[in-house]
Amino acid sequence: MQQLINPNPQVFKAKQITRTITYSDEDEIEEIDSLEIFDLIRNISDPEHPLTLEQLKVVEHEQVHIFPNKNLVTIYFTPTITHCSMATLIGLCIRVKLLRSLPKRFKIDIFLTPGSHQSEDQVNKQLNDKERVAAALENEKLLGVVNRCIS
């Protein structure tokens, strides 16, 4: 049996976030906001536990930033433990979910929350290197895990 990295993670209640709807001109392009981005990633499954990233507070709405004038989305996420070996996989799941969901014009930056992981610089570098991400997604077994987490 595989030993869990964090056998007893703290589980949090999902927040209820309400959106204020404003109606505008039909011809106006509707902007994507941080809540919409958060809705895309909040229900990604943790690779180790049958819980969502939101339930584990790995992702939070406050850590999702969108800069529509720059077509940039920046996500910060916080692993449940500072030595989490799943951090790169979690970041890859977030990236793939956003790549598959957002218009191609958006650049996606994914970072560990500063101070949340002992290998923060290395993980951040891997997650934001196009060649490393592409190589990881060529691995069928890894891609299967990613697809399971984001489905």
Side-chain angles (χ1 to χ4, degrees), residues 68 74 97:
T74 303
K97 180 69 174 181

Side-chain angles (χ1 to χ4, degrees), residues 77-84 111-120:
F77 72 99
T78 308
T80 59
I81 52 176
T82 59
H83 58 279
C84 178
F111 301 102
L112 288 163
T113 303
S116 67
H117 197 277
Q118 64 188 16
S119 302
E120 181 181 331

Side-chain angles (χ1 to χ4, degrees), residues 22 43 50 59 87 110 112-113 116 123 131 134 151:
T22 56
N43 291 316
V59 295
I110 299 174
L112 288 163
T113 303
S116 67
V123 172
E131 288 79 21
S151 63

Side-chain angles (χ1 to χ4, degrees), residues 135-148:
L137 295 177
E138 288 177 6
N139 179 320
E140 287 184 31
K141 189 172 182 179
L142 185 58
L143 184 58
V145 174
V146 169
N147 286 333
R148 225 176 7 263

Side-chain angles (χ1 to χ4, degrees), residues 28-47:
E28 186 178 321
I29 296 174
E30 185 178 330
E31 294 290 334
I32 296 172
D33 63 14
S34 63
L35 182 54
E36 190 170 350
I37 303 292
F38 180 65
D39 281 341
L40 291 171
I41 64 172
R42 72 192 309 174
N43 291 316
I44 294 173
S45 296
D46 181 79

Side-chain angles (χ1 to χ4, degrees), residues 18-90:
T18 56
R19 178 188 301 277
T20 304
I21 299 174
T22 56
Y23 295 97
S24 59
D25 184 12
E26 288 181 21
D27 294 330
E28 186 178 321
I29 296 174
E30 185 178 330
E31 294 290 334
I32 296 172
D33 63 14
S34 63
L35 182 54
E36 190 170 350
I37 303 292
F38 180 65
D39 281 341
L40 291 171
I41 64 172
R42 72 192 309 174
N43 291 316
I44 294 173
S45 296
D46 181 79
E48 189 176 34
H49 299 284
L51 299 165
T52 68
L53 297 185
E54 180 184 26
Q55 288 174 308
L56 295 170
K57 270 198 176 177
V58 171
V59 295
E60 297 182 84
H61 177 238
E62 297 79 18
Q63 295 181 308
V64 176
H65 308 281
I66 184 162
F67 306 94
N69 57 332
K70 296 180 182 179
N71 292 322
L72 174 65
V73 173
T74 303
I75 307 285
Y76 290 90
F77 72 99
T78 308
T80 59
I81 52 176
T82 59
H83 58 279
C84 178
S85 65
M86 298 286 172
T88 306
L89 177 58
I90 291 168

